[in-house]
Amino acid sequence: MTIQLRSPSYFVLAALLDGSLHGYVIIKRVEALSDGSVRLAAGSLYAVLDRLAEAGLVEVVSEEIVNGRARRYYALTADGGAALQEEAARLAAAAKVVTNATARRRAINTAVSPA
């Protein structure tokens, strides 16, 4: 499965790595994990969760009523964990091009070498 995740989806999946969470905690965890670069309003979060659930990357694992409102807990699926790991590897490889001069020179030399 190869899927390129946008930042909100990536950080929502990352927030769920250590177990199931409900919406408010996901919002706070995403903000913390992204060092504040991704801030989700409730409506945006649930749109992301709906897309991820539709893609089979997250699932609702439990629901409870708190103060008269439904609180759903979301968890990564196996496919969600795999997609997150693939995206992390893709991002690490892309970052390596910028942060590692040896890897960059090797890539450039490979690209321009005659066959």
Side-chain angles (χ1 to χ4, degrees), residues 68-81:
R69 298 182 65 188
R71 177 183 285 174
R72 288 186 181 102
Y73 286 80
Y74 295 85
L76 280 177
T77 62
D79 285 346

Side-chain angles (χ1 to χ4, degrees), residues 26-99:
I26 295 171
I27 288 171
K28 292 302 183 188
R29 181 98 31 107
V30 164
E31 188 173 342
L33 290 172
S34 70
D35 289 328
S37 68
V38 178
R39 293 184 177 171
L40 296 170
S44 299
L45 170 67
Y46 291 107
V48 170
L49 286 168
D50 286 346
R51 283 193 302 275
L52 292 172
E54 194 172 291
L57 304 180
V58 301
E59 62 186 349
V60 175
V61 292
S62 67
E63 190 172 322
E64 63 184 0
I65 304 299
V66 177
N67 296 328
R69 298 182 65 188
R71 177 183 285 174
R72 288 186 181 102
Y73 286 80
Y74 295 85
L76 280 177
T77 62
D79 285 346
L84 181 60
Q85 292 300 320
E86 286 178 19
E87 183 67 1
R90 187 188 72 78
L91 292 170
K96 190 175 177 182
V97 171
V98 174
T99 61

Side-chain angles (χ1 to χ4, degrees), residues 93-113:
K96 190 175 177 182
V97 171
V98 174
T99 61
N100 186 318
T102 302
R104 188 171 49 254
R105 280 193 297 276
R106 188 176 314 124
I108 291 169
N109 289 336
T110 301
V112 295
S113 294

Side-chain angles (χ1 to χ4, degrees), residues 8-28:
S9 296
Y10 179 82
F11 283 105
V12 166
L13 293 176
L16 297 171
L17 269 172
D18 295 319
S20 63
L21 300 171
H22 64 83
Y24 179 77
V25 178
I26 295 171
I27 288 171
K28 292 302 183 188

